[in-house]
């Protein structure tokens, strides 16, 4: 529930922040831009999305740790598999391999984790050869970086968001948890478990 609230807040904030940007995230122009830039391929594993199940993907995840927004430059289309594999890094409070969730996801080239983790093994299952794997991961990292730089409005707001949002979202999350716990407790106190005899 607290996570749902965070996502609602980030969606509202996204609308507010991007309302005057030249490209609209839900418009045809943006969709075309993404398709052309990534050749209808998954931005992470490069699989062809024409015949693969694909989903809307947020580079910076829309959760309390990554504080991502639904705005041009952060929204892409990815294969469902990568989208769910990426959640592992996205749900970590502190990232060790990179500053952002998507960079972290693409950093598991098998050499940087003390012992290869599940994400390292995921990439290994896609590119078995270590040299090819490192090359493809770094190419995809670069492609996404250059895609993001095509949205200067987005790049401009990132530093201040990174500065203020995590603390704000942590507060929203814990306030929501506290509120829910209190409400449940008070409702439980009002409910009489033993029906009154007539
Ligand atoms: Zn993929
Ligand atoms: Zn790893």
């Amino acid at each position: 529930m607290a996570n749902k609230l965070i996502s609602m807040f980030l969606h509202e904030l996204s609308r507010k922040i991007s309302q005057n940007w030249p490209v609209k995230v839900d418009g045809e122009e943006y969709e075309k831009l993404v398709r052309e830039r990534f050749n209808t391929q998954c931005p992470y594993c490069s699989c062809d999305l024409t015949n693969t199940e694909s989903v809307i993907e947020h580079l910076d995840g829309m959760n309390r740790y990554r504080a991502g927004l639904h705005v041009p430059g952060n929204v892409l289309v990815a294969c469902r598999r990568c989208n769910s594999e990426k959640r592992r890094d996205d749900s970590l409070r502190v990232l060790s391999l990179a500053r952002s969730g998507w960079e972290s996801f693409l950093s598991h080239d098998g050499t940087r984790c003390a012992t290869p983790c599940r994400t390292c093994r995921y990439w290994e299952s896609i590119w078995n050869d270590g040299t090819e794997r490192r090359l493809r991961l770094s190419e995809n990292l670069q492609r996404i970086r250059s895609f993001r730089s095509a949205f200067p409005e987005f790049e401009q707001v990132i530093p201040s968001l990174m500065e203020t949002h995590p603390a704000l979202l942590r507060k929203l999350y814990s306030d929501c948890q506290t509120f829910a716990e209190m409400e449940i407790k008070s409702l439980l106190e009002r409910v009489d478990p033993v029906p009154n005899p007539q």
Side-chain angles (χ1 to χ4, degrees):
M1 189 188 50
N3 286 324
K4 177 75 193 157
L5 190 70
I6 299 257
S7 161
M8 279 167 64
F9 168 74
L10 288 171
H11 269 102
E12 287 302 324
L13 184 70
S14 305
R15 254 191 288 278
K16 191 173 167 185
I17 286 179
S18 66
Q19 59 185 348
N20 295 321
W21 293 7
V23 179
K24 301 290 169 220
V25 72
D26 298 315
E28 259 175 49
E29 188 189 353
Y30 185 66
E31 199 188 313
K32 188 164 166 266
L33 243 151
V34 170
R35 210 180 317 124
E36 282 174 2
R37 179 64 72 116
F38 295 97
N39 300 318
T40 321
Q41 288 175 345
C42 172
Y44 302 124
C45 73
S46 310
C47 75
D48 185 1
L49 293 175
T50 325
N51 298 310
T52 316
E53 201 185 348
S54 57
V55 290
I56 294 289
E57 158 71 11
H58 295 97
L59 291 168
D60 292 321
M62 295 183 79
N63 63 49
R64 73 188 138 134
Y65 297 135
R66 303 288 92 82
L69 296 176
H70 189 71
V71 297
N74 197 45
V75 177
L76 291 176
V77 180
C79 75
R80 185 174 284 285
R81 222 159 50 127
C82 283
N83 174 269
S84 77
E85 296 281 342
K86 175 169 169 277
R87 272 190 208 142
R88 254 193 311 275
D89 280 10
D90 270 352
S91 62
L92 298 173
R93 192 170 74 83
V94 180
L95 298 168
S96 58
L97 297 183
R99 285 191 58 194
S100 68
W102 61 273
E103 287 169 303
S104 174
F105 181 51
L106 290 170
S107 297
H108 293 265
D109 60 11
T111 66
R112 300 182 61 193
C113 292
T115 46
C117 69
R118 283 177 69 188
T119 309
C120 286
R121 286 203 293 273
Y122 174 63
W123 291 127
E124 201 184 316
S125 76
I126 290 175
W127 298 296
N128 188 252
D129 178 75
T131 313
E132 189 196 2
R133 184 163 65 243
R134 282 187 289 280
L135 180 73
R136 300 294 287 273
L137 287 173
S138 91
E139 273 175 5
N140 288 350
L141 205 66
Q142 286 310 323
R143 188 179 300 126
I144 298 175
R145 263 192 205 122
S146 108
F147 169 76
R148 276 166 85 97
S149 68
F151 302 93
E153 299 85 5
F154 180 45
E155 295 245 297
Q156 273 164 23
V157 297
I158 292 177
S160 72
L161 294 183
M162 294 299 265
E163 185 102 333
T164 55
H165 279 197
L168 203 102
L169 295 178
R170 270 199 300 280
K171 184 179 176 328
L172 183 61
Y173 186 89
S174 76
D175 286 355
C176 179
Q177 291 286 78
T178 310
F179 171 77
E181 280 161 21
M182 273 165 47
E183 281 296 293
I184 289 170
K185 191 164 170 258
S186 97
L187 279 175
L188 281 175
E189 278 163 9
R190 277 160 48 194
V191 173
D192 190 350
V194 187
N196 288 325
Q198 292 295 316

